[in-house]
Amino acid sequence: MKVLVTGGTGYIGSHTVIELQQAGYEVIIIDNLSNSNIEVLDGIHKITGQYPIFEKFDICNSQDCNNFFSKYKGITAVIHFAAYKAVGESVEKPLMYYYNNLVSLLNLLDKILSHNINYLVYSSSCTVYGQPESLPVAENAPVQEAKSPYGNTKQISEEIIKDTIHANKKISCISLRYFNPIGAHPNGFIGELPIGEPNNLVPYITQTAYGIREYLRVFGNNYNTHDGTCIRDYIDVVDLSKAHIAALQRMLVHKNINNFEVFNLGAGKGYSVMEVVQCFEKVTGIRLKYKILNRRPGDIERVYADPQKANARLNWKATTSLDNSLLSAWNWEKYYRKKLNC
Ligand code: NAD
Ligand code: WQD
């Protein structure tokens, strides 16, 4: 069965391609490499023994999309990862984010309709919940006004997909709201490749440990939490990837018709920034340099998932410990840096 993975050379996409191949799916990737590297395909090949089909173009280009869908017939489902994802950059360059994340989706939905593809898995985010009133946050919690253009593109995208399904009775979509994805493949050949200075906590920690950053900036220790630092639900990227296969299978097995479903993908447990730092130090034996700085504007104090719906209906559960996720992230940092110096 052929599955199209947009953004398939990116961080979560590449891990999902591996799970798809290992589950026997034939994978076709579209990626314009705006935030990833072609060598990711070699990493995938090293792990699975197979190269996915790869087409490099921008999904915002409608003609390129037409050419693609004329070339590849018989695609059963699409997993749509391709998007820009840096929250801060989206505040600086809102139009770039609205254009890329929304035009790509509009194009893709148009082609999905005209080529009779019925199943879509969409990459959404816990950012749609903002600071939830009660925790853990379940799928029925209200979507709050977005704090950034990036977050808004996720909310608007879900609305666009819902309306499209409403008007086209054969299509179904599962929208997966990720909490904080971390870690790398345990085989060590693929992982996260942040360009420039990382925004996210774990790549900042591994780069600091490697000596690329002088120290970790801990953004605020005066929050109303047990140690004053913010709390997040860190979900291992391999666990997260497996949920995409579960979502696909749910739609295929149930012959899901005309359905829009949302699932939270988190471990269901919150860790503070300092707990992540301490855990990293414990599993690696490295003492991490850090400084407490002011709060980062826009940060939410605490958020973690109620993943029970995904546990029950997708038959999926996050199983990787924070220890093992941080270890795989660290192993990937070392592997990748050595490779760069070769
Ligand atoms: P990523 O940047 O590593 O991967 C996205 C991929 O899409 C990149 O390879 C990029 O080159 C490609 N891409 C972007 N725009 C494109 C376009 N117009 N045409 C073709 N290719 C394009 O990001 P990721 O962390 O793997 O995230 C994947 C998805 O998950 C995104 O939609 C993101 O918003 C969502 N998400 C990510 C996180 C996170 O923390 N990583 C959390 C929640 C949701
Ligand atoms: C986690 C915690 C920081 C870096 C972002 C997006 C969200 C989603 C996931 C896409 C916070 C602290 C961080 C650093 C720090 N992405 N921190 N020093 O902000 O929870 O979520 O990624 O959908 O939409 O907003 O993740 O990893 O940036 O931060 O102290 O150098 O680590 O303040 O408390 P965040 P993060």
Side-chain angles (χ1 to χ4, degrees), residues 85 87 125-127 150 179-181 198-202 204 216-219 230-232 234 273 296 299-300:
K85 64 165 179 178
V87 175
S125 168
C126 70
T127 191
Y150 165 74
F179 282 66
N180 286 57
N199 298 304
N200 296 118
L201 178 63
V202 171
Y204 213 104
L216 172 73
R217 301 159 306 167
V218 174
F219 297 130
C230 293
I231 290 176
R232 296 288 182 275
Y234 295 96
V273 174
R296 185 172 68 176
D299 264 343
I300 277 153

Side-chain angles (χ1 to χ4, degrees), residues 127-185:
T127 191
V128 302
Y129 298 118
Q131 176 61 71
E133 280 194 4
S134 66
L135 288 168
V137 59
E139 291 81 354
N140 58 6
V143 167
Q144 303 216 43
E145 194 184 336
K147 285 232 166 86
S148 70
Y150 165 74
N152 211 13
T153 68
K154 292 291 156 191
Q155 297 188 8
I156 296 170
S157 293
E158 286 195 355
E159 294 301 322
I160 291 173
I161 296 168
K162 250 191 263 175
D163 289 345
T164 307
I165 290 175
H166 183 71
N168 298 275
K169 303 292 176 219
K170 281 189 175 168
I171 301 179
S172 286
C173 172
I174 289 184
S175 183
L176 299 174
R177 293 177 177 165
Y178 315 154
F179 282 66
N180 286 57
I182 60 162
H185 198 277

Side-chain angles (χ1 to χ4, degrees), residues 7 9-13 30-36 57-60 81-85 100 104 123-125 150 154 178-179 181:
T9 47
Y11 174 43
I12 306 166
I30 302 174
D31 201 301
N32 64 357
L33 302 179
S34 56
N35 197 37
S36 55
F57 66 91
D58 185 338
I59 303 162
C60 296
F81 292 103
Y84 293 155
K85 64 165 179 178
N100 191 59
S104 58
S123 295
S124 189
S125 168
Y150 165 74
K154 292 291 156 191
Y178 315 154
F179 282 66

Side-chain angles (χ1 to χ4, degrees), residues 198 201-217 277 280-281 283-290 326 329-331 333-334 337:
L201 178 63
V202 171
Y204 213 104
I205 288 178
T206 55
Q207 289 197 7
T208 306
Y210 202 82
I212 296 157
R213 309 284 155 203
E214 201 187 336
Y215 56 87
L216 172 73
R217 301 159 306 167
V277 169
F280 182 84
E281 292 186 330
V283 297
T284 62
I286 296 169
R287 195 125 194 94
L288 203 72
K289 285 189 202 151
Y290 68 86
L326 292 175
W330 175 231
N331 287 336
E333 184 76 56
K334 288 187 291 184
R337 293 295 156 193

Side-chain angles (χ1 to χ4, degrees), residues 6 13 15 34 67 84 95 97 109 185 200 210 233 243 293 295 299 340:
T6 75
H15 288 81
S34 56
N67 295 342
Y84 293 155
L95 294 184
Y97 271 69
L109 286 172
H185 198 277
N200 296 118
Y210 202 82
D233 186 336
L293 266 67
R295 293 181 176 198
D299 264 343
L340 277 184

